[in-house]
Amino acid sequence: MDSRPESSSAKSEPAAVDDEEVRDNIVRGQSQSRPRRSPLVWLTLFALITYSSWAVYQYQYENLPPPLTAEQAGKRGFSEVEAMKHVKALTQLGPHPVGSDALDLALQYVLAAAEKIKDTAHWEADVQVDFFRSKAGANRLVSGLFMGRTLVYSNLNHVVLRILPKYVSEAGENAILVSSHIDTVFSTEGAGDCSSCIAVMLELARGISQWAGFKHAVIFLFNTGEEEGLNGAHSFITQHPWNDTVRVAIDLEAMGIGGKSGIFQAGPHPWAIENFALVAKYPSGQIVAQDLFSSGAIKSATDFQVYQEVAGLSGLDFAYSENSAVYHTKNDKLELLKPGSLQHLGENMLSFLIHVAASSHLPKSNTIEEEENTGLNAATFFDILGTYMIVYRQRFANILHNSVIMQSLLIWATSLLMGGYPATVSLALSFLSVILMWIFALGFSVLIAFILPLVSSSPVPYIASPWLVVGLFAAPALLGALTGQHLGYLFLQTYLSNVYSKRKPLPPAIQADLIKLEAERWLYKAGSLQWLILLIMGNYYKIGSSYLALVWLVPPAFAYGLLEATLSPVRLPKPLKLATLIMGLAVPILISAGIFIRLASTIIGTLVRFDRNPGSTPEWLGNVIIAAFIAVVMCLTLVYLLSYVHLSGAKRSIVLATCLLFGLSVTVILSGIVPPFTEDTARAVNVVHVVDTTGRFEGKQDTSSYVSLFSVTPGKLNKEVEQIKEGFICGREKVVDFVTFSVKYGCWTYDDTEGGWSKSDIPTFHVDSDTKSSERITQVSLDTKGSIRWVLAINTEEIEDFKFKVNSEELVPLGDKSSGDGWHIIQFSGGKNAPTIFDLTLFWKKNSTRSSHKGDGWPLLKLRTDVDRITPKTEQVLLKLPPWCSLFGKSTSPHTLAFLTSLPVNL
């Protein structure tokens, strides 16, 4: 940033211009070099920046190490070829959710592999294998996706493998936990989520078992129940005898399939991330992902939350995030797992585990509370091109950010004091150009986002071809940014013309050129002011991602001060140098281009499962989010480059190119050349045979049976229903309450839906007692029949508190309850031998009047039981399901057969 004022802002400048000899030299110089550059220069620079950004992304996220064979890796190394054998074996079992025969087979496979590791371990390594059967338990998380719910489980089985040195007696007292889950959702074989993680762990355990010289134990937890609410991690950390030895927790996850597995959560103690950065061969991780995840913008949860909240542990959370559109669909399959993906994670983890297991120090398990109290040791971390990771603590971040902020403010204050009123107004008008950039860029791209669902067959026609967003949203955003900044440029020119007119006159042509040059410089400096404001805000709220503002502020300001500022007594402006832009933008692009592109790709992928309550979200909302993200990124990153365009003839070329690119993208979509979904990038749907006895109590109402078809991907289902037939009717007339969510738009059919289930499958409530003395207490027994996966909603407008028992064991005591939207959810899942009869004690609120307002039909309890069974009607629908569709599973979604029932408030 230039600390000296430009010509319009220097009070002493008119005196300098009075010097006739100097003035004549200026005029001659300006007349020989007019302030106009070739449009080819700007267009070439823009193409270079675009190509460089894409090259950074490719190198940072797509450059994977070659898979190694067992011979190449050696006895103590990591071999992807060997790990892929485990992935293949597990995926061949098909979907293996909790309670399925396939999960039993998967457990036996992992157990056999663990026993083989034990048998072939180094003679100095003590390998212990435990097949752990958990008791019933209950988990109430205080934040995140499961807040307001009680997660209950029973009869879960895990494989636990511990490796420790034989001749270090205290080694077993301090352990590093590495954890992932064997189970999948019912809709996928789970190659990415998380058979790949299990395979990496097995190969890591084999490699670690061949090393000697460790000081600490390494525990590998192959758990089940993660997909049903993080139950496996909770059962281990609360029930297993080794749980109190764990000092650091490492969780391996996937929200896509393959690619680089990066750290998206670390801490709260920075010990783990600092040690990982020291030794990882291919470090990958971004504090940006952690900030987004912790903010709730990403609706997901991992076992790492249990390790942090319940056990008070610090550590690392890894995840595969490439091709996130396939998450929990049929396309999470072996064929889409990129070669090198397991090698990348395996080599990083092997180096890290060898290093920390031999370390003389491990953090205390209760460090989380200390870190939350201080906050100064929280780590900011990010990788550069996947080859080097930068980690620094919040204490250092405070010093660094405050230093840059104070220096920047001092420079700006000095410049404005020296420049006086003209400089202040010029700064305000140049920043107005930034505001106009944002308004027009967001306006143009968001307008397209609103229009797209009206003209396209799908509201999100770019899911299978993410490159389409460049033409659909990036091109309008660029056009809007250029329009906004050009308007600001014109306003600034008008004001500077007025300032120059009050000085000693120059030849009109020279004066007009000087005004353009000075306006260009003010626009460039307004970009640094934009990033300075963001840095101040990020520093105030202690946001780790503030390093991006630092990166985009310092190098451009440094380049400007080095190449543009002069000590000449005559300070008439000159054209911005091309070298200033290249030097100023090189470092920001190197550090941030990859993460911006990866975030856009991830957002696009998550739109497949965006409508969590089908039909409740406007069809345009997903488009608006991705359009706004792209527009914001373009405004933030192109503010310097666009200041360079106004003295060139490139504006017309930019307008034509953006309009042409947008027109081609729209034509491709409307013509159907590129479909919105393909067999490998499918639309997420659910086909559920529903047996509805809602409101039925002691035989007072009939049972309703129908098949429900709905989608968490935005858009109508008309095209799908046309192909399926089977008598489906689509619309909003029938709202289906699945307890954990509601389907407000969907399709349903009553044709031939009486087979495949019986009345003995229908769950029942039985009111054992209902005392109405000073405090009303109701005892209810619940029989879920054969279902070992169910959700129960308790009306907290009527019920003050409750107790929940399983086999006479009280799992949920009184107190410490929370609710969402007037309901507290109990979510249960268990193994094959899990109980099906439960006792519930309800404590009513005093003077409750809600029931009188709602009548007899207002439910006190709502229940959905799931059965992993395909009825004849459901089978017909699934056989006719279009290839661009896939069943979608999550912890709250029903299986293919669901029973709905309720207990009314007025018993």
Side-chain angles (χ1 to χ4, degrees):
M1 188 182 297
D2 189 358
S3 62
R4 294 177 176 270
E6 304 295 346
S7 56
S8 68
S9 52
K11 294 180 179 178
S12 61
E13 203 164 273
V17 179
D18 284 341
D19 188 319
E20 291 297 327
E21 183 179 354
V22 173
R23 181 173 176 276
D24 290 343
N25 288 336
I26 294 170
V27 171
R28 284 196 298 271
Q30 290 294 128
S31 63
Q32 292 172 3
S33 179
R34 300 303 299 273
R36 185 173 179 82
R37 56 180 67 95
S38 168
L40 187 60
V41 174
W42 191 92
L43 294 173
T44 302
L45 182 59
F46 180 75
L48 176 64
I49 289 175
T50 302
Y51 175 79
S52 300
S53 299
W54 183 250
V56 167
Y57 169 76
Q58 288 289 317
Y59 192 87
Q60 186 171 6
Y61 289 101
E62 302 294 330
N63 183 34
L64 294 168
L68 299 181
T69 64
E71 292 75 19
Q72 291 171 323
K75 201 173 184 179
R76 297 181 175 183
F78 184 93
S79 166
E80 176 175 306
V81 174
E82 294 301 306
M84 283 297 291
K85 294 177 182 177
H86 300 308
V87 180
K88 185 176 181 180
L90 291 171
T91 54
Q92 283 178 341
L93 299 173
H96 34 281
V98 171
S100 66
D101 292 335
L103 182 58
D104 289 341
L105 294 174
L107 278 163
Q108 290 304 314
Y109 176 85
V110 173
L111 180 62
E115 292 288 356
K116 183 177 179 181
I117 292 170
K118 178 180 179 179
D119 294 339
T120 58
H122 189 277
W123 64 273
E124 290 189 35
D126 182 12
V127 178
Q128 302 168 358
V129 178
D130 180 30
F131 189 76
F132 176 57
R133 294 177 172 85
S134 72
K135 299 181 295 183
N139 177 22
R140 288 198 298 272
L141 297 173
V142 298
S143 63
L145 186 67
F146 297 108
M147 184 173 62
R149 297 183 184 179
T150 299
L151 307 170
V152 183
Y153 55 86
S154 178
N155 196 235
L156 297 179
N157 297 322
H158 319 305
V159 176
V160 191
L161 184 150
R162 182 166 70 165
I163 303 173
L164 64 166
K166 283 184 179 178
Y167 305 110
V168 182
S169 58
E170 67 276 10
E173 299 174 5
N174 298 283
I176 302 104
L177 175 68
V178 184
S179 171
S180 192
H181 63 96
I182 304 174
D183 61 307
T184 70
V185 293
F186 76 95
S187 56
T188 179
E189 63 189 35
D193 186 19
C194 214
S195 294
S196 59
C197 311
I198 296 298
V200 167
M201 286 172 57
L202 286 171
E203 179 63 6
L204 278 173
R206 183 207 57 77
I208 292 290
S209 71
Q210 301 302 317
W211 285 80
F214 293 154
K215 298 178 181 178
H216 311 295
V218 181
I219 298 174
F220 293 90
L221 170 62
F222 305 88
N223 71 65
T224 64
E226 191 273 349
E227 296 291 6
E228 301 299 337
L230 318 181
N231 297 327
H234 186 270
S235 64
F236 172 82
I237 216 67
T238 57
Q239 299 180 21
H240 198 277
W242 295 341
N243 60 8
D244 59 354
T245 68
V246 177
R247 301 290 175 260
V248 177
I250 312 298
D251 183 49
L252 306 185
E253 258 297 350
M255 60 175 294
I257 182 167
K260 290 188 175 182
S261 180
I263 297 171
F264 71 103
Q265 292 189 97
H269 194 283
W271 182 88
I273 186 67
E274 288 172 345
N275 279 273
F276 177 82
L278 281 175
V279 298
K281 191 174 181 180
Y282 315 104
S284 181
Q286 294 289 342
I287 187 71
V288 177
Q290 176 172 297
D291 287 342
L292 286 173
F293 198 83
S294 60
S295 71
I298 299 176
K299 302 294 184 182
S300 188
T302 71
D303 286 338
F304 193 65
Q305 182 181 356
V306 173
Y307 301 135
Q308 281 190 321
E309 282 191 22
V310 180
L313 296 170
S314 290
L316 303 174
D317 202 2
F318 292 81
Y320 291 110
S321 59
E322 183 147 316
N323 203 357
S324 57
V326 310
Y327 177 71
H328 282 193
T329 69
K330 66 179 182 181
N331 291 316
D332 185 3
K333 55 188 179 182
L334 186 64
E335 293 80 0
L336 297 183
L337 190 56
K338 282 187 176 180
S341 301
L342 306 191
Q343 193 69 42
H344 173 265
L345 176 59
E347 290 199 50
N348 281 342
M349 282 295 300
L350 184 61
S351 300
F352 173 69
L353 290 175
I354 291 171
H355 175 72
V356 297
S359 171
S360 59
H361 168 71
L362 288 179
K364 297 179 181 178
S365 60
N366 61 354
T367 310
I368 183 169
E369 297 175 1
E370 300 169 8
E371 298 308 316
E372 287 177 346
N373 291 333
T374 63
L376 294 177
N377 283 331
T380 293
F381 59 93
F382 57 92
D383 70 90
I384 299 177
L385 297 180
T387 58
Y388 185 77
M389 178 168 279
I390 293 178
V391 180
Y392 54 88
R393 300 192 180 192
Q394 185 62 48
R395 183 181 287 105
F396 176 78
N398 290 343
I399 297 172
L400 179 62
H401 295 173
N402 288 332
S403 174
V404 171
I405 290 169
M406 294 304 296
Q407 291 182 59
S408 300
L409 291 176
L410 182 61
I411 292 172
W412 275 111
T414 304
S415 179
L416 294 179
L417 284 172
M418 294 178 64
Y421 181 76
T424 303
V425 176
S426 297
L427 175 61
L429 289 174
S430 62
F431 196 71
L432 175 64
S433 73
V434 173
I435 296 174
L436 292 173
M437 271 184 66
W438 282 70
I439 293 173
F440 279 86
L442 284 167
F444 284 14
S445 58
V446 169
L447 177 63
I448 301 304
F450 278 108
I451 294 174
L452 196 58
L454 303 177
V455 299
S456 171
S457 61
S458 169
V460 285
Y462 44 81
I463 295 293
S465 306
W467 52 267
L468 282 172
V469 300
V470 176
L472 291 173
F473 302 129
L478 175 59
L479 183 59
L482 178 61
T483 302
Q485 194 183 79
H486 184 66
L487 286 175
Y489 175 74
L490 295 178
F491 293 149
L492 186 57
Q493 268 191 301
T494 302
Y495 174 73
L496 292 175
S497 297
N498 184 50
V499 171
Y500 272 80
S501 66
K502 297 176 182 178
R503 299 179 178 173
K504 285 269 185 172
L506 290 170
I510 301 299
Q511 182 168 300
D513 291 345
L514 292 175
I515 291 169
K516 292 178 181 178
L517 291 172
E518 186 162 356
E520 178 185 66
R521 286 171 168 253
W522 275 111
L523 292 180
Y524 183 95
K525 291 189 287 186
S528 64
L529 181 59
Q530 167 187 259
W531 283 106
L532 175 60
I533 293 171
L534 291 176
L535 179 60
I536 293 172
M537 294 173 60
N539 187 61
Y540 179 80
Y541 290 105
K542 301 294 184 289
I543 300 173
S545 303
S546 301
Y547 83 89
L548 289 172
L550 190 72
V551 165
W552 279 92
L553 169 62
V554 175
F558 175 79
Y560 184 88
L562 180 68
L563 300 178
E564 302 295 341
T566 68
L567 298 176
S568 168
V570 182
R571 299 299 305 276
L572 292 180
K574 295 180 180 180
L576 281 175
K577 298 180 179 66
L578 181 62
T580 303
L581 284 172
I582 295 175
M583 179 183 291
L585 297 181
V587 172
I589 288 173
L590 185 72
I591 291 178
S592 64
I595 186 62
F596 286 144
I597 296 173
R598 172 48 63 94
L599 283 175
S601 173
T602 302
I603 294 172
I604 292 170
T606 59
L607 294 181
V608 168
R609 51 191 182 276
F610 181 70
D611 198 356
R612 301 179 72 85
N613 291 277
S616 64
T617 305
E619 291 186 345
W620 45 261
L621 185 57
N623 290 333
V624 168
I625 291 173
I626 185 63
F629 175 80
I630 290 173
V632 166
V633 169
M634 297 194 74
C635 287
L636 289 172
T637 57
L638 293 182
V639 63
Y640 299 112
L641 182 62
L642 286 179
S643 67
Y644 197 76
V645 77
H646 302 287
L647 297 184
S648 72
K651 288 192 286 290
R652 179 175 297 177
S653 300
I654 296 170
V655 172
L656 290 175
T658 53
C659 291
L660 179 62
L661 184 58
F662 172 71
L664 286 174
S665 300
V666 172
T667 301
V668 165
I669 290 171
L670 296 182
S671 65
I673 295 175
V674 176
F677 307 102
T678 64
E679 190 167 356
D680 284 339
T681 307
R683 180 177 189 177
V685 301
N686 287 87
V687 179
V688 185
H689 192 139
V690 179
V691 180
D692 190 352
T693 63
T694 302
R696 174 179 177 268
F697 184 59
E698 295 182 354
K700 292 181 180 178
Q701 287 189 358
D702 293 333
T703 299
S704 174
S705 175
Y706 56 92
V707 172
S708 175
L709 169 67
F710 57 90
S711 176
V712 292
T713 308
K716 300 292 189 295
L717 289 163
N718 297 336
K719 186 177 180 182
E720 288 77 8
V721 166
E722 286 177 7
Q723 179 162 331
I724 296 172
K725 309 293 185 186
E726 297 296 332
F728 277 102
I729 301 171
C730 298
R732 295 181 174 272
E733 297 82 9
K734 186 178 181 62
V735 176
V736 184
D737 184 354
F738 281 107
V739 182
T740 51
F741 67 97
S742 295
V743 175
K744 297 182 179 179
Y745 168 82
C747 307
W748 62 92
T749 178
Y750 290 92
D751 297 351
D752 304 321
T753 59
E754 296 305 318
W757 62 275
S758 67
K759 290 187 177 181
S760 62
D761 293 324
I762 300 174
T764 59
F765 288 114
H766 185 267
V767 179
D768 298 323
S769 66
D770 186 24
T771 60
K772 300 180 181 179
S773 55
S774 59
E775 182 181 14
R776 185 178 180 183
I777 302 175
T778 303
Q779 299 278 353
V780 179
S781 62
L782 165 64
D783 187 351
T784 63
K785 304 301 182 180
S787 175
I788 52 176
R789 183 182 192 264
W790 52 264
V791 286
L792 174 70
I794 300 173
N795 187 341
T796 54
E797 297 290 338
E798 301 288 342
I799 301 302
E800 182 75 33
D801 207 343
F802 65 88
K803 293 191 294 185
F804 183 80
K805 293 183 178 181
V806 178
N807 294 331
S808 300
E809 179 186 357
E810 186 176 276
L811 289 184
V812 183
L814 292 176
D816 195 25
K817 308 290 196 309
S818 60
S819 64
D821 299 323
W823 299 92
H824 183 91
I825 303 292
I826 298 177
Q827 187 170 319
F828 178 90
S829 70
K832 285 182 177 179
N833 299 318
T836 58
I837 298 177
F838 309 89
D839 296 311
L840 189 65
T841 304
L842 304 174
F843 296 83
W844 292 68
K845 287 185 175 180
K846 294 182 179 180
N847 303 319
S848 174
T849 58
R850 185 68 176 266
S851 59
S852 62
H853 295 163
K854 293 292 182 178
D856 293 342
W858 182 248
L860 178 69
L861 304 175
K862 299 187 296 184
L863 174 67
R864 187 195 81 221
T865 59
D866 298 331
V867 180
D868 192 9
R869 184 194 311 162
I870 297 178
T871 63
K873 182 64 175 183
T874 304
E875 185 177 17
Q876 292 178 30
V877 175
L878 291 176
L879 288 173
K880 297 180 180 180
L881 199 66
W884 66 82
C885 292
S886 168
L887 292 181
F888 175 74
K890 57 182 180 179
S891 63
T892 56
S893 61
H895 282 176
T896 49
L897 176 59
F899 296 86
L900 303 178
T901 191
S902 65
L903 183 67
V905 168
N906 293 332
L907 303 179

